[in-house]
Amino acid sequence: MSELVVGLEVPSRGSRLRAACGDFIRRRPLGAIGAAVILLMFAAALTAPLISPYDPVQVHFAAMLAPPSAEHWLGTDSFGRDVLSRLIYGSQTALIVGFGASLLGATIGALIGVASAYFGGRIDLLLQRFMDVLLSFPLIILALALVAILGNSIPNLIVAIMIPMVPRCALVIRSSALSIREMPYVDAARAAGFTHSRIILRHMLPNVMATYLVMLTAFLGQAILLEASLSFLGLGVQEPLPAWGLMLRGAAVEFAETAPWMAIFPGVAISLAVFAFNLFGDSLRDALDPRLRTQ
Amino acid sequence: MGAYLIKRFFLMFPTLLGVALVTFLLIRVIPGDVVELRYSGDRGSVSQEVIDKERARVGLDQPVWKQLATWLVGLAKLDFGTSMWTGAPIWEEIELRFALSLQVAVMATVIAVLLALPLGVLAALKQDTWVDYVIRIFSIAGLAVPSFWLGIVFILVLLVFFQWLPPMVYTPFWQNPWENMAQLIWPALAVGYRYSAVSTRMTRSAMLEVLREDYIRTAKAKGLWQSLVLRRHALKNAMLPVMTVVGVEFAFLIGGLVVTEQVFNLNGLGLLFVQAVAHRDYTLLQALVMLVAGIFIFMNFLLDVAFAWLDPRVRYA
């Protein structure tokens, strides 16, 4: 058999990945733009200490509410802190909370969804009822209540944002796992006497990967938005930590007329980040699974 | 159809009960209680006796299961009790604010539907042309722009370019419709944009799916006018998923205005919710969450009824 392969060029993993990326850029330019913005955001977050012109928490009362200038490109806030530096550092907060919450939420949701579909029967019914209950709370209300319970450190914020996402992911993953459960290879695995956890983790989970990735990217933008909303309400990230939603709180609205840069730029940063994640997520969905083109 | 509706109706109750239990437990896990908060200002100067008395007055001295039982019995009678913080009946606390939030939600829905239907249909008809791309970018942006920030931008623009601010005091619509609209149209627009974005995307994808169906080709092939095919054959069938999105978003909006209300200084359910959390006003919190979740559950029931009525496939399944 092996002679048959000789002469055929077997592409290495790396070059295959490169080809896939090139294909993605050519066929989905909007998604590629989104990906570029996301990469830029990562670069900003990783190199924040190097590229930000000022210390994001350093108070300068001499430079309070300074308009954008050569010194402070995006102006300063009511404490004289450089807005651009705070935006750059704020991308760290947004990415940590965004990725933390959506990874956890989508993963736990996927596990519950797959388990629910695999076991079926009473377990499925119970889990689904419980998910229905969680789904009845508006996202922001549930997150708010959870933050009030847990207190507002960054890990707690991640948990509070993650939990409302679990039932939303479980619902979608369950429905695609239901069809996989009927596949012959799952029957075969069962006949071979594999444990439940092995069948779920090794045979079913990899096959809902496409759906999982789509949910994950959709959650990313939502998590960043939710974090910004909670921080804006004063229930998320706390001063002096730089976070985009927090930058819009209080003084930004109070001084909106005299210092509009304080109110405008953080909002642009949030919108741009979420926009990029949504753009990328949409294209990824279309590329991975055309059946999921529901929204 | 009758049996299905009855079954669907009674299916609401286990979910409602679940919501009630989760709400009750969640709220009680929040550290601190209303009495502690009330006297936190003059810590030490208040004797334990006064604190115990106050706890007894609001019913916090009862064992938890008893509190739960009292509340559930009240719920069954649609009686939410009195607020632990103000002592006023909860219906009184909620009434006006509910009217305000409901009005903003209704206005946002009107805006969203008026934008979403034409845009979504147009995008689907012109799939993969520049029209489609512009509409898609417009709607993806709608999902990305935080509504509370959009609200700030509205205020800023009105202030800088028109030297005008929306009225800060709520006037009921029947008292002065003009004054009322001048205040509420801005938050409605701010949340309406996101709402319209969600609905536009759904309209577009539902239309795309329907337009591929055989019966559309048949209708076109037999020479029907394009507009007639669109309205009678395509749009009617594409409306079902759009209805779901609009309904669900509407139900969530009533309680989900929390952040936008803050920007416009609106005294709606969202603000009340944030205050209730701050005061650990258990009874008010429970009532608010139940109200919002109840509306959502009931909306889902209504949607299912509408589906069964509109779509024979659901009815006979």
Side-chain angles (χ1 to χ4, degrees):
Chain A
M1 280 298 273
S2 61
E3 292 99 277
L4 282 175
V5 188
V6 177
L8 275 175
E9 196 189 335
V10 181
S12 73
R13 224 196 169 119
S15 71
R16 251 190 336 203
L17 193 68
R18 230 172 297 136
C21 284
D23 197 47
F24 187 80
I25 292 171
R26 240 174 298 116
R27 295 185 42 195
R28 312 203 183 268
L30 285 181
I33 293 173
V37 175
I38 295 169
L39 285 178
L40 208 70
M41 218 177 130
F42 264 104
L46 289 174
T47 60
L50 299 174
I51 58 168
S52 56
Y54 293 88
D55 182 339
V57 293
Q58 183 67 49
V59 175
H60 289 282
F61 286 111
M64 259 165 46
L65 298 174
S69 64
E71 248 173 280
H72 297 280
W73 287 6
L74 302 181
T76 62
D77 68 3
S78 53
F79 293 100
R81 296 175 299 197
D82 184 52
V83 170
L84 177 64
S85 306
R86 287 182 71 72
L87 281 185
I88 293 172
Y89 273 92
S91 64
Q92 292 179 340
T93 316
L95 284 176
I96 290 173
V97 176
F99 268 93
S102 50
L103 265 176
L104 274 173
T107 309
I108 296 175
L111 280 175
I112 293 180
V114 169
S116 187
Y118 174 76
F119 290 113
R122 191 164 291 171
I123 294 178
D124 184 35
L125 196 74
L126 266 174
L127 277 173
Q128 284 316 302
R129 281 295 84 112
F130 187 58
M131 294 295 128
D132 273 355
V133 168
L134 284 186
L135 274 174
S136 312
F137 300 99
L139 217 65
I140 181 97
I141 296 253
L142 192 53
L144 258 172
L146 289 166
V147 168
I149 293 169
L150 300 165
N152 37 29
S153 68
I154 292 225
N156 288 344
L157 204 56
I158 291 176
V159 174
I161 294 174
M162 167 274 273
I163 288 179
M165 297 183 161
V166 169
R168 288 170 172 79
C169 185
L171 201 75
V172 176
I173 296 274
R174 175 178 171 272
S175 62
S176 57
L178 273 179
S179 57
I180 292 170
R181 193 180 66 150
E182 307 303 325
M183 292 283 171
Y185 59 78
V186 174
D187 276 342
R190 232 178 289 190
F194 290 161
T195 60
H196 291 318
S197 61
R198 179 171 171 155
I199 298 177
I200 289 177
L201 293 176
R202 298 275 296 274
H203 297 261
M204 293 187 66
L205 216 48
N207 287 294
V208 293
M209 232 22 196
T211 322
Y212 170 80
L213 281 177
V214 169
M215 294 305 286
L216 182 67
T217 46
F219 285 162
L220 267 165
Q222 280 182 30
I224 292 177
L225 265 183
L226 209 52
E227 182 264 312
S229 306
L230 289 173
S231 299
F232 176 74
L233 287 175
L235 293 162
V237 180
Q238 299 294 305
E239 291 279 8
L241 221 69
W244 297 339
L246 193 59
M247 293 174 72
L248 288 170
R249 180 178 162 70
V253 181
E254 249 170 73
F255 298 117
E257 201 185 354
T258 46
W261 53 90
M262 268 172 74
I264 289 175
F265 295 123
V268 172
I270 300 170
S271 310
L272 196 66
V274 179
F275 186 68
F277 277 115
N278 286 349
L279 221 48
F280 178 68
D282 262 23
S283 303
L284 189 72
R285 182 195 56 204
D286 293 352
L288 282 179
D289 196 346
R291 277 174 312 156
L292 289 165
R293 274 190 130 165
T294 46
Q295 283 211 349
Chain B
M1 173 115 171
Y4 168 77
L5 286 188
I6 291 168
K7 193 177 142 211
R8 184 61 189 77
F9 180 79
F10 284 105
L11 262 176
M12 282 197 291
F13 291 98
T15 318
L16 277 170
L17 185 67
V19 169
L21 285 175
V22 170
T23 308
F24 184 88
L25 293 175
L26 261 186
I27 286 171
R28 255 140 257 261
V29 190
I30 301 179
D33 68 33
V34 63
V35 178
E36 219 170 273
L37 263 136
R38 194 188 296 268
Y39 295 122
S40 64
D42 32 26
R43 187 177 299 276
S45 63
V46 181
S47 68
Q48 191 60 41
E49 204 176 317
V50 177
I51 291 180
D52 287 344
K53 219 166 153 189
E54 180 69 10
R55 279 228 162 89
R57 193 184 65 78
V58 295
L60 282 176
D61 59 333
Q62 306 274 334
V64 171
W65 66 267
K66 222 168 182 176
Q67 292 180 35
L68 175 66
T70 320
W71 182 56
L72 286 180
V73 169
L75 260 190
K77 291 188 279 191
L78 283 182
D79 173 14
F80 287 131
T82 54
S83 156
M84 282 183 177
W85 182 262
T86 63
I90 281 177
W91 269 124
E92 241 169 63
E93 296 275 340
I94 288 182
E95 223 178 353
L96 252 192
R97 292 161 162 124
F98 182 63
L100 189 150
S101 293
L102 187 68
Q103 197 194 333
V104 176
V106 169
M107 283 162 71
T109 308
V110 172
I111 294 169
V113 172
L114 285 182
L115 274 175
L117 286 191
L119 288 182
V121 171
L122 195 63
L125 287 180
K126 310 265 177 197
Q127 193 192 4
D128 291 327
T129 64
W130 65 269
V131 179
D132 183 28
Y133 274 105
V134 169
I135 293 174
R136 272 171 77 187
I137 289 177
F138 177 75
S139 55
I140 296 179
L143 295 181
V145 177
S147 356
F148 68 91
W149 180 67
L150 199 58
I152 296 176
V153 172
F154 283 165
I155 293 183
L156 201 60
V157 169
L158 290 172
L159 205 61
V160 172
F161 293 100
F162 299 95
Q163 279 81 46
W164 181 81
L165 264 184
M168 279 294 159
V169 184
Y170 172 63
T171 330
F173 185 74
W174 54 89
Q175 267 178 26
N176 185 345
W178 185 247
E179 198 62 13
N180 169 282
M181 288 306 255
Q183 184 192 18
L184 296 188
I185 189 73
W186 310 106
L189 276 173
V191 293
Y193 181 29
R194 200 201 90 85
Y195 193 170
S196 80
V198 180
S199 326
T200 305
R201 282 153 66 85
M202 187 46 106
T203 311
R204 176 180 177 274
S205 64
M207 275 304 277
L208 279 180
E209 213 152 281
V210 171
L211 286 175
R212 273 188 225 120
E213 299 280 349
D214 291 341
Y215 58 79
I216 298 290
R217 200 178 15 168
T218 312
K220 277 188 191 156
K222 71 182 181 190
L224 277 184
W225 299 319
Q226 172 87 0
S227 65
L228 198 69
V229 176
L230 267 186
R231 262 184 294 131
R232 288 256 182 91
H233 299 244
L235 201 54
K236 252 188 180 172
N237 283 294
M239 270 312 86
L240 293 177
V242 178
M243 258 172 51
T244 311
V245 167
V246 171
V248 167
E249 285 282 318
F250 173 76
F252 275 158
L253 250 196
I254 294 174
L257 286 168
V258 184
V259 205
T260 314
E261 280 175 6
Q262 203 89 9
V263 173
F264 290 95
N265 205 13
L266 291 179
N267 199 359
L269 286 186
L271 201 64
L272 192 64
F273 181 80
V274 175
Q275 285 166 357
V277 172
H279 292 155
R280 306 287 185 268
D281 191 340
Y282 291 167
T283 40
L284 181 56
L285 265 177
Q286 287 165 357
L288 281 174
V289 177
M290 271 324 277
L291 184 71
V292 171
I295 291 174
F296 172 76
I297 292 169
F298 189 64
M299 178 59 85
N300 269 314
F301 167 70
L302 284 186
L303 284 171
D304 279 351
V305 172
F307 269 42
W309 183 50
L310 292 172
D311 190 345
R313 282 171 301 183
V314 178
R315 213 178 311 159
Y316 297 115

